[in-house]
């Protein structure tokens, strides 16, 4: 744990008074209207520059030509089936990415909408895996102020008029509104999950305005954190001599982004709820952007809270053209003249469904009088109800929030009501969570708000949070379901399919209690075979009977927190990508540990499954089976998560060398951090299987795995030969973690076996890779074998994070980390960009491939955390600050709230909105470890594992027989086959 002053920069790196006048801050400092001292800030007139995407070199393009052709063919094939390929570098977004992002709206897993720092609502992620990035410009807040009996008036959209999404389509459209805000005196302040927009005398010079955006992201709250809603609280301060009538207006389009309104069939209706909450419901008949397939509908609720001082009125429908409905221009003129709508509009009922191509909009007005030198608060809410989440191959699940609000689309009314009546309680919990970090004077200011703001991904990263139950749409006529009537949750009008296939012949009796099968569109889970965890006792060389087990149903009772998915990135559409989750998972472990354990249980059960469907691997054109027993899957799938894993098909990930060790390390870390013995016992069979599976890659019996001369790990464009620093270190750490966990669970045989392997492997690793100042990239003879890899001590990072004894002596660890700091960090723009992945011993960036020359944001955070864990405070925070400078600061490249996987030394990004930067929470984990690890006895459990002579001889005999393995077993065997 870090102590003392840990950084050298000025304490107040972003003082609020540099953006908002001190007087305005003091006036707004009531009811939460003033932004906090520690926040990320931008002026609303800041230029949102277009971001620069990376490009490959000519030589890289030539090397990847065959892969590119196969990938192009695969993308076209998927498109022919109405699906988006998980990786598609050929299709570009209509809206070019720009430096305009802000804090997203809502909780986790119920669909997301982002809001740019200038006020635009964009990045619509309602349909799983599909994101419409362009803003819907009708969605705005506006203000109308009248003074001196109407002689002095102000009106403006509360967003600057130079939005890239604002186009003058017609005189009756939104271009006719008053876009008077320059943004010069208006500022945005972000501290996820809240944001403040302060208008310091715009548009009325005598009116100070603060709009506070609040979403229910509350650590350890597994109910409210799942709610699709946000609140916008306006704080108004009248500094003038005259009383002011202020009318705030929220307009909203019946759209889920892009051209979704064009399908028609959408309608609006007003509502009045309890406690003064009223507004408009916008019912959207959802159709996929990519296909003509229907998707579950979504209903928006736009509402405001009427009080003794605030009057709420609505206009349920207005259009852009003026045909059939009040036009946008007419709506604006009504507000400019009257400051409110007709109260009779609440009795209007449902509108006629929209025609194709017609965009319906709604408006909610909240009006109040603000006395001279008086203050007032006005609150709006946005909620959206899309209770069912449907994946493109047909499986449909209920979202987590339906456990508390039901599956009716009209639950949007209750969501908006509860948001408006509970937001102060949410803020209390948010402040209770954040204040200890924000008020810690030992921490640099940039770190505090970057730490919280990087959490945007858990909302905007395409997250899906289900209720943990079977699909809501299932095959009623299946033999299994006729036996399992209690699991019928819906019907599905598709052709009946047999539960038999060419690989497995299942009967109802073969499905264990509580299990189920499901037919979702064109395939069945029966293509999986598996074994019971309880049948894995003392089984190390193979799997027993092929018997299906359920792995979709969550545990019953209070521990059932549902199932959670988040994308690798909005450009890499794969759920829960595990090699990346290795870095990102610290955020979930710290803030929502039950979700983290749920994800780990999913992967633990997946380890024991095999999916024999054939897949073509695009890197070399070979084919193999989709999921091998004993291998940790790369991801949980794309279009049918949990049922069709390994959407990634560039390489055969059953031959990757990092996934299984990462699984074991994450399992042990979570086991140690939570102290959950039941979790440890439940996943232990999968740990055994994952470790035993890796023995096939120790071909010379020295206890250490070897890489196979292709990119067989998370750096999937960076080839490795022989023993590698990265995978070898992960394997060493996994051996120690597995042995220690075995000891704690009482599995003496396994503990002895893997302690002995650890002792052998450690000696080999150091002998072959340590060069006196760092560990060589690999033991091969290629031009980059002696490169300095920033991530070379990833295994030691997890070892230290889990409270395990160090893998190497402290001098070697610190020497290697110092080398990384001096070369990979400080030799790239003076440490102002992060840690480049590869650096030559001569101090030049390793140009072997595109990934060796990239700076990976999440890896940089991980390296920084590793430095902090080993007492290198200055180096750690200097390393991490490079990501802030390049990505988040005003002088950087504009990657805030869309942190990419990485960037090149000239700032060109690859893969925006990426999972791995959540690793910044590994830094906080290093600064403040879990109580279970802090209070654990300071005992080296490895020393308590005594190796019997019998075990030593047995391991030696196995090693001798393994020197020349039969490679015929490699492609199909889940475990080492001694032929």
């Amino acid at each position: 744990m870090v102590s003392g002053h840990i950084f050298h920069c000025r304490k107040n790196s972003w003082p609020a008074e540099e953006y908002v006048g001190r007087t305005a801050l003091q006036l707004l400092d009531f009811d939460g209207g003033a932004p906090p001292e520690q926040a990320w800030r931008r002026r609303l007139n800041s230029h949102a520059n277009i971001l620069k995407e990376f490009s490959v070199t000519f030589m890289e393009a030539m090397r990847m030509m065959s892969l590119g052709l196969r990938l192009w063919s695969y993308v076209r094939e998927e498109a022919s089936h109405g699906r988006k390929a998980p990786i598609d570098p050929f299709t570009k977004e209509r809206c070019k990415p720009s430096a305009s992002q802000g804090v997203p709206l809502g909780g986790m897993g119920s669909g997301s909408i982002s809001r740019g720092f200038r006020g635009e609502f964009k990045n619509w992620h309602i349909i799983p895996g599909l994101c419409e990035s362009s803003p819907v410009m009708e969605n705005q807040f506006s203000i109308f102020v009248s003074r001196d009996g109407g002689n002095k008036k102000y009106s403006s959209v509360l967003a600057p008029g130079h939005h890239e999404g604002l186009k003058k389509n017609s005189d009756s459209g939104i271009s006719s509104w008053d876009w008077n805000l320059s943004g010069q005196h208006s500022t945005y302040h972000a501290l996820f999950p809240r944001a403040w927009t302060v208008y310091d005398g715009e548009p009325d010079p005598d009116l100070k305005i603060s709009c506070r955006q609040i979403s229910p992201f509350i650590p350890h709250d597994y109910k409210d954190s799942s709610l699709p809603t946000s609140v916008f609280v306006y704080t108004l301060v009248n500094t003038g001599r005259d009383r002011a009538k202020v009318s705030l207006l929220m307009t909203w389009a019946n759209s889920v982004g892009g051209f979704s309104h064009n399908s028609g069939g959408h309608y609006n209706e007003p509502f009045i709820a309890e406690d003064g909450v009223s507004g408009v419901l916008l019912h959207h008949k959802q159709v996929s952007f990519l296909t003509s397939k229907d998707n579950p509908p979504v209903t928006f609720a736009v509402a405001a809270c009427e009080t003794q001082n605030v009057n709420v009125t609505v206009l349920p429908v207005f259009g852009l053209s003026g045909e059939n409905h009040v036009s946008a221009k007419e709506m604006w003129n009504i507000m400019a003249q009257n400051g409110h709508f007709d109260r009779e509009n609440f009795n209007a009922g449902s509108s006629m469904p929209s025609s194709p191509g017609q965009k319906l909009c709604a408006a909610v007005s909240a009006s109040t009088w603000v006395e001279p030198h008086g203050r007032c608060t006005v609150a709006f809410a946005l909620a959206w109800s899309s209770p069912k989440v449907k994946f493109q191959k047909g499986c449909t699940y209920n979202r987590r929030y339906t456990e508390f609000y039901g599956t009716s689309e009209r639950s949007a009314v209750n969501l908006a009501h509860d948001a408006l009546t509970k937001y102060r309680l949410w803020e209390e919990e948010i402040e209770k969570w954040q204040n200890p970090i924000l008020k810690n004077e030992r921490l640099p200011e940039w770190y505090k708000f970057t730490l919280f703001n990087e959490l945007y991904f858990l909302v905007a990263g395409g997250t899906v949070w289900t209720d943990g139950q079977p699909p809501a749409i299932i095959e009623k006529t299946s033999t299994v379901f006729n036996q399992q009537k209690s699991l019928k949750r819906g019907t599905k009008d598709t052709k009946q399919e047999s539960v038999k296939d060419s690989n497995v012949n299942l009967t109802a009796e073969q499905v264990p209690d509580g299990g189920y099968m499901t037919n979702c569109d064109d395939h069945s889970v029966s293509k999986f075979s598996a074994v019971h965890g309880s049948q894995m006792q003392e089984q190390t060389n193979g799997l027993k009977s092929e018997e299906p087990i359920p792995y979709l149903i969550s545990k019953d009772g209070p521990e059932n927190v549902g199932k959670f998915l988040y994308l690798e990135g909005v450009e890499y559409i794969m759920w829960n990508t595990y090699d990346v989750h290795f870095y990102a998972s610290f955020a979930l472990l710290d803030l929502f540990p039950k979700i983290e354990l749920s994800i780990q249980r999913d992967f633990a059960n997946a380890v024991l499954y095999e999916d024999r469907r054939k897949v073509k691997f695009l890197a070399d054109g070979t084919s193999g089976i989709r999921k091998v027993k004993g291998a940790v899957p790369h991801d949980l799938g794309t279009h049918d998560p949990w049922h069709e894993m390994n959407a990634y098909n560039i390489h055969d990930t059953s031959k990757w060398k990092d996934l299984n060790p990462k699984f074991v390390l994450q399992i042990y870390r979570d086991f140690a951090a939570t102290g959950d013995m039941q979790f440890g016992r439940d996943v232990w069979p999968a740990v055994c299987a994952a470790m035993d599976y890796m023995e096939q890659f120790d071909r010379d019996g020295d206890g250490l795995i070897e890489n196979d001369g292709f990119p067989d790990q998370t750096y999937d464009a960076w080839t490795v030969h022989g023993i590698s620093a990265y995978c070898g270190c992960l394997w060493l750490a996994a051996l120690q973690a597995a042995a220690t966990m075995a000891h704690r669970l009482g599995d003496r045989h396994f503990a002895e076996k893997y302690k002995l392997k650890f002792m052998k492997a450690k000696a080999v690793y150091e002998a072959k890779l340590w060069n006196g100042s760092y560990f060589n990239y690999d033991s091969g003879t290629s031009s980059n074998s002696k490169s300095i890899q920033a991530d070379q001590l990833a295994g030691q990072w997890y070892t230290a994070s889990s409270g395990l004894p160090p893998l190497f002596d402290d001098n070697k660890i610190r020497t290697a980390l110092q080398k990384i700091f001096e070369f990979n960090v400080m030799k790239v723009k003076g440490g102002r960009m992060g840690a480049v992945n590869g650096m030559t011993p001569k101090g030049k960036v390793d140009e072997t491939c595109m990934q060796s020359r990239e700076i990976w944001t999440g890896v940089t955070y991980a390296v920084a955390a590793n430095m902090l864990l080993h007492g290198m405070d200055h180096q750690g925070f200097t390393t991490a600050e490079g990501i802030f400078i390049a990505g988040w600061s005003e002088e950087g490249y504009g990657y805030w709230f869309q942190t990419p996987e990485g960037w090149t030394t000239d700032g060109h990004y690859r893969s925006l909105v990426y999972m791995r930067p959540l690793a910044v929470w590994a830094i906080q984990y290093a600064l403040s470890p879990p109580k279970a690890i802090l209070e654990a006895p300071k005992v080296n459990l490895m020393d308590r594992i005594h190796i019997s002579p019998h075990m030593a001889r047995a391991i030696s005999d196995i090693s001798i027989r393994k020197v020349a393995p039969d490679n015929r077993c490699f492609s199909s065997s889940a475990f080492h086959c001694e032929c």
Side-chain angles (χ1 to χ4, degrees):
M1 190 171 181
V2 176
S3 60
H5 275 283
I6 55 180
F7 207 59
H8 60 277
C9 74
R10 61 192 174 116
K11 177 183 173 183
N12 295 310
S13 53
W14 282 32
E17 55 266 25
E18 289 188 8
Y19 291 78
V20 184
R22 186 177 295 274
T23 301
L25 288 173
Q26 292 172 346
L27 290 170
L28 291 168
D29 190 18
F30 79 99
D31 194 32
E37 293 182 8
Q38 301 88 1
W40 179 89
R41 314 185 197 282
R42 276 295 177 278
R43 298 193 189 280
L44 265 61
N45 66 343
S46 297
H47 181 62
N49 57 295
I50 301 299
L51 306 182
K52 299 177 181 178
E53 191 172 8
F54 89 107
S55 59
V56 297
T57 66
F58 176 78
M59 291 304 298
E60 289 168 348
M62 294 301 295
R63 287 195 295 266
M64 294 190 293
M65 183 174 293
S66 297
L67 167 62
L69 291 172
R70 296 188 193 100
L71 181 57
W72 180 72
S73 177
Y74 173 68
V75 168
R76 291 187 63 194
E77 179 184 357
E78 286 294 282
S80 71
H81 295 291
R83 298 190 294 264
K84 184 173 175 61
I87 302 174
D88 178 8
F90 309 107
T91 304
K92 300 300 181 183
E93 294 286 344
R94 292 189 299 271
C95 179
K96 292 184 178 180
S98 63
S100 61
Q101 299 298 334
V103 174
L105 308 176
M108 299 189 296
S110 295
S112 68
I113 307 164
S114 290
R115 190 173 184 228
F117 73 87
R118 296 183 302 181
E120 66 272 36
F121 294 86
K122 57 201 300 183
N123 286 11
W124 300 77
H125 220 143
I126 306 296
I127 301 174
L130 296 177
C131 181
E132 176 56 60
S133 59
S134 57
V136 176
M137 294 305 295
E138 294 80 9
N139 298 349
Q140 297 290 344
F141 286 100
S142 303
I143 192 167
F144 303 82
V145 184
S146 176
R147 294 178 182 270
D148 290 336
N151 295 324
K152 187 184 296 183
K153 288 189 174 184
Y154 304 91
S155 60
S156 180
V157 179
L158 288 174
H162 54 273
H163 280 283
E164 65 271 13
L166 182 62
K167 298 177 181 178
K168 293 188 177 182
N169 296 320
S170 69
D171 291 338
S172 59
I174 64 172
S175 60
S176 65
W177 296 355
D178 297 328
W179 297 83
N180 296 326
L181 201 78
S182 72
Q184 182 179 356
H185 301 292
S186 301
T187 55
Y188 181 83
H189 311 253
L191 189 65
F192 179 91
R194 297 188 292 172
W196 292 254
T197 305
V198 177
Y199 307 90
D200 191 358
E202 289 191 272
D204 182 342
D206 294 326
L207 191 65
K208 309 296 185 185
I209 309 168
S210 169
C211 174
R212 186 163 88 261
Q213 174 186 313
I214 308 155
S215 294
F217 183 97
I218 304 165
H220 307 285
D221 185 334
Y222 297 89
K223 176 186 175 183
D224 287 358
S225 295
S226 71
L227 304 185
T229 185
S230 285
V231 181
F232 304 89
V233 182
Y234 278 85
T235 301
L236 308 172
V237 180
N238 182 4
T239 62
R241 298 178 179 179
D242 304 312
R243 190 167 70 140
K245 181 182 179 182
V246 180
S247 296
L248 289 160
L249 177 71
M250 183 178 184
T251 52
W252 199 259
N254 197 326
S255 167
V256 291
F259 302 107
S260 59
H261 62 279
N262 284 339
S263 58
H266 319 303
Y267 65 98
N268 300 351
E269 63 170 316
F271 71 87
I272 298 177
E274 298 177 346
D275 302 314
V277 174
S278 57
V280 181
L281 285 175
L282 298 89
H283 301 277
H284 189 84
K285 180 183 178 182
Q286 202 174 179
V287 176
S288 169
F289 309 134
L290 189 66
T291 73
S292 59
K293 292 182 179 179
D294 288 340
N295 284 280
V298 58
T299 296
F300 294 97
V302 181
C305 191
E306 188 163 273
T307 67
Q308 185 176 359
N309 301 318
V310 178
N311 180 48
V312 177
T313 57
V314 301
L315 182 62
V317 180
F318 71 87
L320 301 183
S321 64
E323 297 179 7
N324 304 323
H325 303 290
V326 172
S327 72
K329 181 177 182 179
E330 291 168 335
M331 181 278 299
W332 189 267
N333 290 338
I334 292 172
M335 283 299 300
Q337 181 176 348
N338 303 325
H340 59 83
F341 300 112
D342 194 331
R343 294 287 300 185
E344 291 300 315
N345 290 343
F346 281 113
N347 302 321
S350 298
S351 70
M352 293 294 293
S354 63
S355 303
Q358 181 184 31
K359 183 180 286 189
L360 298 185
C361 304
V364 176
S365 167
S367 304
T368 186
W369 286 94
V370 188
E371 299 297 327
H373 307 292
R375 304 174 180 184
C376 187
T377 298
V378 179
F380 291 86
L382 171 69
W384 56 97
S385 179
S386 181
K388 296 186 184 300
V389 54
K390 180 181 179 182
F391 294 98
Q392 288 194 355
K393 288 194 175 180
C395 279
T396 302
Y397 302 85
N398 289 336
R399 295 190 191 267
R400 166 72 175 171
Y401 81 89
T402 63
E403 286 278 289
F404 318 107
Y405 286 83
T407 57
S408 168
E409 288 83 10
R410 297 187 67 85
S411 63
V413 172
N414 296 329
L415 286 161
H417 169 273
D418 289 356
L420 286 168
T421 55
K422 292 177 63 177
Y423 73 84
R424 287 183 175 87
L425 295 176
W426 292 345
E427 287 194 289
E428 288 179 9
E429 294 301 315
I430 291 168
E431 289 171 359
K432 190 185 302 181
W433 157 47
Q434 293 184 337
N435 280 343
I437 295 173
L438 298 177
K439 294 180 179 179
N440 188 340
E441 295 185 356
R442 298 183 296 107
L443 298 174
E445 299 300 297
W446 65 264
Y447 167 75
K448 296 175 183 179
F449 55 79
T450 305
L451 175 73
F452 291 114
N453 285 331
E454 287 283 19
L455 290 172
Y456 84 94
F457 189 84
L458 289 178
V459 173
T463 55
V464 171
W465 193 357
T466 78
D467 62 1
Q469 299 303 312
I473 295 180
I474 59 178
E475 178 58 64
K476 270 206 318 189
T477 55
S478 165
T479 302
V480 174
F481 281 109
N482 286 335
Q483 301 290 329
Q484 306 274 336
K485 294 182 180 180
S486 63
L487 293 175
K488 294 181 181 179
R489 307 184 66 208
T491 60
K492 188 170 189 286
D493 296 327
T494 57
K495 183 178 179 181
Q496 178 180 349
E497 296 182 13
S498 170
V499 296
K500 297 180 180 181
D501 73 6
S502 60
N503 296 314
V504 184
N505 185 354
L506 303 178
T507 66
E509 289 72 22
Q510 285 179 292
V511 180
D513 292 340
Y516 68 94
M517 300 293 298
T518 177
N519 288 305
C520 296
D521 278 2
D522 58 355
H523 67 276
S524 167
V525 187
S526 61
K527 290 182 174 69
F528 292 95
S529 59
V531 297
H532 280 295
S534 59
Q535 294 177 336
M536 290 291 295
Q537 297 173 359
E538 298 183 7
Q539 183 178 321
T540 58
N541 294 325
L543 295 171
K544 289 190 177 181
S545 61
E546 293 179 350
E547 186 173 313
I549 62 173
Y551 70 98
L552 284 175
I553 302 178
S554 294
K555 294 174 64 178
D556 293 328
E559 294 303 306
N560 178 7
V561 297
K563 295 288 186 182
F564 190 82
L565 300 170
Y566 64 146
L567 292 175
E568 179 178 337
V570 296
E571 297 176 34
Y572 296 157
I573 309 171
M574 293 165 281
W575 301 108
N576 293 4
T577 299
Y578 202 73
D579 56 309
V580 184
H581 180 69
F582 176 76
Y583 298 84
S585 58
F586 283 87
L588 286 173
L589 178 60
D590 195 336
L591 306 176
F592 297 95
K594 292 179 182 178
I595 289 179
E596 167 63 10
L597 295 189
S598 172
I599 291 173
Q600 297 292 49
R601 289 179 187 275
D602 285 345
F603 277 90
N605 286 305
V607 167
L608 306 176
Y609 277 78
E610 182 165 280
D611 182 349
R612 298 179 183 137
R613 286 172 288 183
K614 291 292 184 180
V615 173
K616 183 177 181 179
F617 302 115
L618 304 180
D620 56 11
T622 62
S623 295
I625 66 173
R626 179 173 289 277
K627 168 66 180 68
V628 176
K629 290 177 185 175
V632 174
H634 172 274
D635 55 79
L636 291 183
T638 290
H639 301 308
D640 195 10
W642 298 295
H643 292 142
E644 187 179 88
M645 295 174 282
N646 282 334
Y648 178 91
N649 61 349
I650 304 297
H651 300 288
D652 181 355
T653 59
S654 69
K655 300 175 183 178
W656 275 20
K657 309 308 185 294
D658 64 336
L659 287 168
N660 282 39
K662 285 177 175 176
F663 169 73
V664 175
L665 289 172
Q666 288 184 77
I667 289 289
Y668 184 80
R669 179 205 57 188
D670 297 350
F671 173 64
T674 63
D676 190 333
M677 294 299 291
Q678 186 58 50
F679 167 75
R681 287 188 288 267
D682 290 346
V683 300
W684 180 240
V687 172
C688 296
M691 291 298 293
D692 288 350
Y693 179 86
M694 293 299 291
E695 290 191 22
Q696 63 183 300
F697 303 119
D698 175 15
R699 298 186 176 86
D700 56 6
D702 61 0
L704 200 60
I705 60 172
E706 291 88 35
N707 293 80
D708 284 315
F710 75 100
D712 50 357
Q713 26 73 45
T714 194
Y715 300 89
D716 59 350
W718 199 357
T719 298
V720 194
H721 299 275
I723 298 169
S724 77
Y726 182 67
C727 295
C729 190
L730 289 171
W731 176 240
L732 285 179
L735 288 169
Q736 179 174 243
T740 304
M741 189 170 179
H743 177 76
R744 293 181 64 176
L745 293 175
D747 190 336
R748 178 181 173 184
H749 173 87
F750 198 94
E752 291 182 27
K753 174 182 177 181
Y754 282 97
K755 177 181 178 179
L756 186 60
K757 284 181 176 291
F758 170 75
M759 293 167 60
K760 294 174 61 179
K762 177 181 176 180
V764 174
Y765 182 87
E766 293 190 87
K768 293 193 175 182
L769 295 181
W770 181 251
N771 62 21
S773 59
Y774 64 95
F775 294 97
N776 290 336
Y777 176 71
D778 63 29
S779 62
T781 57
S782 63
S783 60
N784 70 320
S785 288
K786 288 183 170 53
S787 286
I788 308 162
Q789 185 178 11
D791 215 2
Q792 62 184 267
L793 288 175
Q796 174 56 34
W797 168 43
Y798 256 73
T799 294
S801 298
S802 305
L804 291 167
L807 299 176
F808 318 106
D809 65 67
D810 186 65
N811 182 61
K812 284 183 179 176
I813 296 170
R814 290 175 61 90
T815 299
L817 289 173
Q818 183 63 29
K819 189 75 171 184
I820 293 166
F821 178 72
E822 292 174 356
F823 278 66
N824 300 62
V825 177
M826 298 308 295
K827 288 185 180 296
V828 180
K829 302 290 179 69
R832 300 175 65 82
M833 295 200 71
V836 70
N837 284 336
M839 182 69 77
T840 68
K842 295 181 178 180
K844 302 294 183 182
V845 173
D846 186 337
E847 300 282 351
T848 302
C849 66
M850 69 177 189
Q851 290 177 343
S852 64
R853 60 186 172 91
E854 286 179 329
I855 295 159
W856 282 10
T857 53
V859 167
T860 297
Y861 285 142
V863 170
N866 206 0
M867 291 171 175
L868 290 169
L869 285 165
H870 295 91
M872 302 172 66
D873 304 343
H874 167 74
Q875 294 92 326
F877 274 97
T878 301
T879 296
E881 191 188 18
I883 302 302
F884 162 75
I885 293 172
W888 287 84
S889 73
E890 285 192 283
E891 61 186 273
Y893 298 104
Y895 297 130
W896 49 81
F897 300 103
Q898 53 187 335
T899 317
E901 158 75 311
W903 47 65
T904 58
T905 54
D906 57 0
H908 289 223
Y909 75 88
R910 181 169 62 81
S911 187
L912 291 173
V913 191
Y914 197 78
M915 180 197 294
R916 205 178 325 240
L918 284 171
V920 69
W921 278 85
I923 295 177
Q924 189 59 28
Y925 186 98
L927 297 172
S928 182
K931 183 178 179 182
I933 290 180
L934 278 177
E935 297 181 355
K938 300 300 184 284
V939 177
N940 187 343
L941 294 180
M942 290 288 280
D943 292 340
R944 295 191 174 186
I945 302 172
H946 302 291
I947 301 174
S948 65
H950 173 75
M951 174 59 72
R953 287 194 300 272
I955 294 296
S956 177
D957 291 342
I958 291 174
S959 298
I960 292 172
R961 294 200 301 273
K962 283 177 59 181
V963 169
D966 187 340
N967 289 330
R968 290 174 301 174
C969 304
F970 181 78
S971 61
S972 60
S973 174
F975 294 89
H976 171 67
C977 179
E978 296 173 13
C979 300

